[in-house]
Amino acid sequence: MLEPNKKFILIVDDSSTNLGVLSQALKTAGYKVRVAVDGESAMAMLEKCAIDSTKNPFPELILLDVQMPGIDGFETCRRIKSNATTKTIPVIFMTALADAESKVKGLSLGAVDYITKPFEQDEVIARVNIHWQLKQLTDNLEEQVTQRTCALQQAQVQVVQQEKLSALGQLVAGVAHEINNPLSFMVSNIAPAKEYLADITEILSLYQKHYPEPPSDIARKIEDIDLEFVIEDFSHLLDSMQMGTERIKDISLSLRNFARADGDTASAIDLHETLDSTLLLLKHRLKDQGSRPVIEVIQNYGNLPAIKCYPGPMNQVFMNLLANAIDAVEDAWEKDQRPLIITISTEVVTESAIVRIADNGLGMTDEIQQHLFEPLFTTKAVGKGTGLGLSIAKQIVTDKHGGKLFCKSMAGKGTEFAIELPI
């Protein structure tokens, strides 16, 4: 049981049933709990904490529902993370949403985890325990001596990395389950649907051959619906449906490849397939956004052999570097509307495979580059970055794979990250 003077967990949910179930479970586990029924109430409570934190201490953790009346969970999280007095409070989203885009959006806003509805109480307690301990560790960092600070920051990076991979693995399992069942129905039905259409078309052709002059009401109906066009377009519709299902299958496969569960098992993989899968997951960010044009991705792939590495962590490295490249070119577009280009190059140099990810963004100064891989260091606005992505990426490349991660940047010209992996 936790000590009675510990700070509380804030639960924000518009469902009284959810509030009751979660409150009881957390209280049984030894936590103090406060509740809010919507985002406005939660922000008002946090404002009172900011006025007098002695009488009204800040929550140690916030469990936040995504879908609520008024300001939803995403906007509430954004406001929490944009406030200097509350930005360090860990936020765990609670949601029934199964789409990857919503979950990636939540994580990009600064949330540390997701709990999927309906709740499994043991899972809720386990996740809260982990992030509670992580919060305690973060709060105590400033009180530690300089030597221990580096060790604690490294431990934090490892915990965050493991938690993100774990959460993403569960997300993919849920997405695959929800997608694959209806997808299998569509895939299995398109082929017979095409056969049925061919049979119906053949029968209609025979009718037209043997009865070239149909009754007037049938002739009018044929003219009204433009039968010839309907038959032709119906075939096109089925072809479009088949292309759509193949697209969904590719996305599902990319998700599974990205968050493979074999993070502790090294295997020989095709880095080009891994890069392509990551690009597919980021495709929504590469598209034309209305206010800015499409981001062009140039793929200069060399002849790489299969590389033995840990697939899940390596996918995470590519995701971090590509997402940073997208952020960089978007910032450049806002400043001077330059062409948006990301270049991915691969080659073999002596006994190493080299992967280069370059952007034509605004680049970085030498001073920033010196601190680039330090945990918690970030140049992004509040709510857009945690300062852990590059430190995690370097740890994965160097410690887990025995490779090297380099950065070369010129202010105003762009940035290139190079990953060197032993063959």
Side-chain angles (χ1 to χ4, degrees), residues 61-321:
L61 196 67
I62 299 176
L63 298 179
L64 181 59
D65 186 25
V66 171
Q67 295 177 303
M68 297 184 295
I71 61 172
D72 63 9
F74 291 138
E75 176 60 18
T76 303
C77 182
R78 188 195 66 78
R79 295 186 185 185
I80 291 172
K81 294 302 178 181
S82 64
N83 189 315
T85 60
T86 60
K87 66 181 182 180
T88 60
I89 303 175
V91 175
I92 300 178
F93 274 128
M94 305 180 296
T95 181
L97 297 175
D99 63 290
E101 185 173 352
S102 296
K103 304 211 170 191
V104 172
K105 178 180 179 181
L107 293 175
S108 67
L109 287 172
V112 296
D113 208 347
Y114 266 86
I115 297 174
T116 304
K117 298 179 181 179
F119 304 117
E120 290 289 341
Q121 291 190 19
D122 291 342
E123 179 188 2
V124 173
I125 298 301
R127 290 181 180 275
V128 167
N129 284 340
I130 289 173
H131 290 292
W132 180 284
Q133 294 167 8
L134 184 58
K135 180 64 164 60
Q136 300 304 308
L137 176 61
T138 304
D139 287 346
N140 290 332
L141 283 177
E142 293 181 356
E143 302 173 8
Q144 304 300 314
V145 296
T146 303
Q147 293 81 359
R148 283 190 55 81
T149 299
C150 294
L152 291 173
Q153 287 181 332
Q154 192 71 9
Q156 183 191 34
V157 169
Q158 292 174 353
V159 171
V160 172
Q161 176 190 346
Q162 292 168 359
E163 280 301 298
K164 284 187 176 181
L165 288 175
S166 174
L168 193 54
Q170 294 182 18
L171 163 65
V172 170
V175 170
H177 177 74
E178 295 297 329
I179 289 179
N180 287 339
N181 284 339
L183 181 62
S184 63
F185 290 126
M186 295 174 62
V187 171
S188 60
N189 287 329
I190 288 176
K194 286 186 174 183
E195 294 178 3
Y196 298 156
L197 176 62
D199 292 340
I200 293 172
T201 304
E202 184 178 0
I203 291 176
L204 289 174
S205 297
L206 290 173
Y207 266 103
Q208 290 175 336
K209 177 180 178 181
H210 294 285
Y211 301 97
E213 298 296 333
S216 59
D217 55 344
I218 295 178
R220 282 196 304 271
K221 189 63 177 178
I222 291 175
E223 184 177 355
D224 289 343
I225 68 172
D226 193 352
L227 180 60
E228 184 177 350
F229 170 78
V230 167
I231 293 173
E232 181 180 358
D233 195 49
F234 193 14
S235 178
H236 294 328
L237 289 176
L238 291 175
D239 290 338
S240 298
M241 291 172 64
Q242 187 170 17
M243 290 176 61
T245 56
E246 290 173 355
R247 165 79 171 155
I248 295 172
K249 286 171 62 178
D250 289 342
I251 293 173
S252 179
L253 178 61
S254 295
L255 281 170
R256 291 197 299 272
N257 288 339
F258 178 76
R260 293 178 184 176
D262 54 356
D264 293 330
T265 304
S267 58
I269 64 171
D270 185 338
L271 291 181
H272 294 155
E273 289 184 0
T274 302
L275 286 164
D276 290 342
S277 295
T278 307
L279 286 172
L280 185 60
L281 294 180
L282 290 170
K283 190 171 184 178
H284 67 285
R285 294 197 59 194
L286 299 170
K287 291 180 179 179
D288 186 337
Q289 301 295 330
S291 59
R292 69 133 176 91
V294 65
I295 298 174
E296 181 183 2
V297 178
I298 301 174
Q299 295 165 274
N300 296 325
Y301 289 169
N303 186 20
L304 292 186
I307 305 298
K308 189 174 183 179
C309 60
Y310 298 88
M314 188 53 61
N315 284 331
Q316 189 179 5
V317 171
F318 291 148
M319 176 64 79
N320 281 332
L321 296 182

